[in-house]
Amino acid sequence: MENLHFLTRFDYTLIIVALGAALLGTVSGALGTYAVLRRQSLLGDAISHAALPGIVIAFMLTGSKTPLILVLGAAIAGWLGTLIILSIVRLTRIKYDSAFSLVLSTFFGFGLVLLTQIQRNGDANQAGLDDFIFGQAATMLKRDVLTIGILGGFALVIMLILWKELKLLVFDEGFAASIGFPTRVLDILLTSLFVIAIVIGLQAVGAVLMSAMLVAPAVAARQWTDKISLMVLLAACFGALAGVSGTFISSIAVGIPTGPTIILCATVIVGFSIAFAPNRGLLWNSIRQHRNRRSLKIATAKLIGAAATKNQIKNDTRPS
Amino acid sequence: MIQDHLDIILIAIVTASACALPGVFLVLRRMTLMSDAISHAILPGIVLAFFLTHNISSPLLILAAAATGVLTVVFVELLQKTKLVKEDAAIGLVFPALFSIGVILISRFASNVHLDTDAVLLGELAYARFNRLEIFGYDIGPISFSVMGGMLLLNLAFILIFYKELKLATFDASLAATLGFAPTLIHYGLMTLVSMTTVGAFDAVGSILVVALIAGPPATAYLMTDSLARMLILSVIIGCVNAVSGYLLAYPFGVSIAGTIATVTFLVFGLIFLIVPNRGLIAIARRHIRQKWEFAQTMLVIHLFNHEGLPEAHEESEIAHLHEHLQWEPTFATRVVKQALNNRYVSQEATQLMLTDRGRSIAQRALVQ
């Protein structure tokens, strides 16, 4: 009886949304590990913004809002944006950050142009497309969760199959190339996995915040371990935790949007990890420093004491 | 009607110029990501100031936003200093968190007032002129124009006064520090200006597209010149051209003006990237092709030089057999021979190629190198 009572409090929609958010957190947490370790944390930001024109064009071409089609459009545009960033960096003296900002903002701007164009034409069916900017987790349906699950699962399977190769790519790209791994192909493949992780979350969390789902769980996991396998696992768990807790907290009161709440939960996990993780964490560090300082003090005191006694003995034994 | 267009174009021009000036230094200092972060993170500052003043166009909003912007920079640097988080991840953590707080504040407490996330994030130039500044009952133009005009003057003054310091801190921060120029102070000064410019511009273009105005024109100008002064001037010009042409393109179709300006920014960057002399794609491709033919001609004269005066020279300098000796495609060999003849590196005697003095000296020089 009590179990049933518990269930009725969380209605069906909420469970669907929580399930979607958990899946999303798992996928982006696991893949985010690679982004954080390769110092490409902000790539997610570029992909999520650059995806907007792809979403709108996909809608304009097909007239449907099937999640799979929109996600495909988003993926193509996000992928194209990343490719342009990498080519600008390779071919000009413009640095990564400028190329990145340029592509991110201008792609997004182009998406806005297209969006205002179809809004002006009064296509009633377009309503909800701007969910992709701010995210609207509450409107998540069963088919959306299914899309997240299938695409995310696919990305995770690829990650597991190429586990050894990706690990080598992350830690020693030069070595990987020298023993004959196609690093260029692997690089593009990994970027494509990031694209999948980002675009499946756009509708729920929104373009502006989705990048944080790639960064936060991985940064939190990094504090607890030095092993990549454990880090991937932990990041996936943290991502899922942030997704579920964010969904439930936002359901407590009216007017708390789900996406931002999920991000804040992830941020709290990061803050907790940075503060309290063993070995690396701030608390641990300050305790260790304190201890070191004290043992240093004791050692110095002992040394001074020993030296003093030594001198004493010397003085005593010196023939007068 | 003309007045309406003029208003919007003027706002676009001052906004573009005000953004391009500090943008130059961000591009050179590799810190444009910070402007992206600031433009999102100032949202909670704006919201809190709005709760205090209940006035969307209060100057307090700009101050609060600027403070939040600087706070973002401080947070990112603090996180980095713990050495637990790298710079890119620190940026990626701080601004989404602050932005989330802003979004939650808006939707929880301010859902029924004129302050929604769309307005802050996306902006709309066409509406910016409806908020007008009136002093003693006289209409002296849109508020955006005054705000961004003020920001333009402030940025210009900062750059003119601290030009030497900025230049040194940008190109050699450690030298600036040794000489006592306080690069940290310059850094925070710049960040404060970026924050203020960003929030001043959100009314007109929104906070994501402000990044296009800050990073786009300086990145384009960076392709064109090596001088800081020229880069500043070029950035302002490019920014204004982008803004005005973006508006003129957007108006007839009724689409987002800010979005069109961003799109034009990308197209102009792409165009300059293609055609700019020396560093452009076309220039690079042409240089590659020229080098290929030059290299082939050098190979030819070296080949002739190596066999000159030796018994096999007769065989080796036969035009019809050259491609076999040099392992070239026959058509390629014919073109190279033609070019070498035109350049008078070689001369033709019956079916044989003979080195000229010029060709001989080229071969000698190439071999010495």
Side-chain angles (χ1 to χ4, degrees), chain B residues 158-222:
Chain B
F158 182 77
I159 288 173
L160 286 179
I161 294 172
F162 296 111
Y163 186 72
K164 192 176 52 193
E165 286 82 353
L166 272 169
K167 198 172 176 178
L168 197 58
T170 300
F171 292 111
D172 196 339
S174 40
L175 179 65
T178 353
L179 292 177
F181 275 115
T184 325
L185 216 61
I186 292 283
H187 170 68
Y188 277 104
L190 194 64
M191 284 302 145
T192 314
L193 283 184
V194 171
S195 308
M196 288 170 71
T197 312
T198 307
V199 66
F202 85 71
D203 195 23
V205 292
S207 66
I208 292 174
L209 301 171
V210 87
V211 178
L213 291 183
I214 286 180
T220 314
Y222 194 34

Side-chain angles (χ1 to χ4, degrees), chain A residues 192-302:
Chain A
S192 315
L193 293 187
F194 293 158
V195 171
I196 295 178
I198 288 290
V199 295
I200 56 174
L202 283 180
Q203 196 179 10
V205 187
V208 185
L209 292 173
M210 192 49 213
S211 63
M213 282 306 279
L214 207 61
V215 185
V219 169
R222 176 70 190 88
Q223 312 308 323
W224 299 87
T225 175
D226 286 331
K227 267 186 73 131
I228 188 169
S229 50
L230 212 55
M231 186 173 163
V232 168
L233 202 66
L234 268 178
C237 293
F238 286 153
L241 182 67
V244 173
S245 53
T247 310
F248 284 129
I249 291 175
S250 72
S251 72
I252 290 171
V254 187
I256 302 180
T258 314
T261 315
I262 294 176
I263 299 302
L264 279 186
C265 286
T267 313
V268 169
I269 296 176
V270 172
F272 181 81
S273 304
I274 286 181
F276 300 116
N279 290 325
R280 274 172 68 99
L282 290 180
L283 183 73
W284 199 270
N285 242 328
S286 69
I287 290 176
R288 188 167 44 208
Q289 264 181 15
H290 186 74
R291 239 186 241 154
N292 285 349
R293 213 170 285 153
R294 215 177 52 190
S295 61
L296 185 70
K297 245 184 215 162
I298 294 172
T300 344
K302 273 186 185 158

Side-chain angles (χ1 to χ4, degrees), chain A residues 39-41 45 92-95 97 100-102 105-106 109 113 116-117 120 134 208 223 254 257 280, chain B residues 30-33 36 40 84 86 88 107-108 118 121 212 222 225-226 253-256 259-260 262 273 279:
Chain A
R39 303 198 174 189
Q40 290 182 327
S41 304
D45 197 30
T92 71
R93 58 172 173 179
I94 289 176
K95 302 294 177 302
D97 69 294
F100 182 96
S101 308
L102 180 82
S105 54
T106 52
V113 170
T116 43
Q117 168 66 25
R120 235 174 69 92
F134 300 106
V208 185
Q223 312 308 323
V254 187
R280 274 172 68 99
Chain B
R30 309 183 187 186
M31 278 173 32
T32 55
L33 292 176
D36 183 33
H40 289 96
L84 299 175
K86 302 277 184 312
D88 60 324
S107 43
R108 183 90 180 94
D118 286 50
L121 263 189
Y222 194 34
T225 175
D226 285 325
F253 300 105
V255 292
S256 157
T260 315
F273 178 29
R279 271 191 280 271

Side-chain angles (χ1 to χ4, degrees), chain A residues 20-228:
Chain A
L23 280 175
L24 210 60
T26 311
V27 175
S28 55
L31 288 169
T33 304
Y34 295 94
V36 167
L37 288 178
R38 297 194 81 197
R39 303 198 174 189
Q40 290 182 327
S41 304
L42 291 164
L43 204 56
D45 197 30
I47 295 171
S48 61
H49 282 80
L52 184 64
I55 294 168
V56 185
I57 290 175
F59 172 76
M60 285 164 104
L61 289 180
T62 63
S64 93
K65 281 193 294 183
T66 318
L68 200 61
I69 289 173
L70 297 186
V71 160
L72 199 68
I76 291 172
W79 205 73
L80 192 69
T82 321
L83 222 61
I84 291 179
I85 294 176
L86 297 178
S87 338
I88 290 178
V89 174
R90 205 161 48 87
L91 292 171
T92 71
R93 58 172 173 179
I94 289 176
K95 302 294 177 302
Y96 186 70
D97 69 294
S98 306
F100 182 96
S101 308
L102 180 82
V103 168
L104 174 157
S105 54
T106 52
F107 266 58
F108 191 78
F110 183 56
L112 268 186
V113 170
L114 296 177
L115 199 59
T116 43
Q117 168 66 25
I118 53 173
Q119 275 168 351
R120 235 174 69 92
N121 287 353
D123 188 341
N125 195 23
Q126 55 82 22
L129 274 188
D130 41 5
D131 282 356
F132 283 93
I133 300 176
F134 300 106
Q136 195 58 261
T139 60
M140 220 190 280
L141 300 173
K142 208 168 143 192
R143 60 171 189 179
D144 298 313
V145 177
L146 219 60
T147 311
I148 293 174
I150 292 171
L151 286 176
F154 173 71
L156 287 184
V157 166
I158 301 259
M159 181 194 84
L160 289 176
I161 292 175
L162 294 172
W163 180 265
K164 189 179 59 195
E165 285 81 359
L166 291 180
K167 190 172 168 182
L168 199 56
L169 184 75
V170 166
F171 287 116
D172 200 339
E173 199 176 332
F175 180 63
S178 74
I179 59 171
F181 281 108
T183 46
R184 189 107 184 229
V185 177
L186 284 174
D187 195 2
I188 292 175
L189 198 103
L190 188 57
T191 309
S192 315
L193 293 187
F194 293 158
V195 171
I196 295 178
I198 288 290
V199 295
I200 56 174
L202 283 180
Q203 196 179 10
V205 187
V208 185
L209 292 173
M210 192 49 213
S211 63
M213 282 306 279
L214 207 61
V215 185
V219 169
R222 176 70 190 88
Q223 312 308 323
W224 299 87
T225 175
D226 286 331
K227 267 186 73 131
I228 188 169

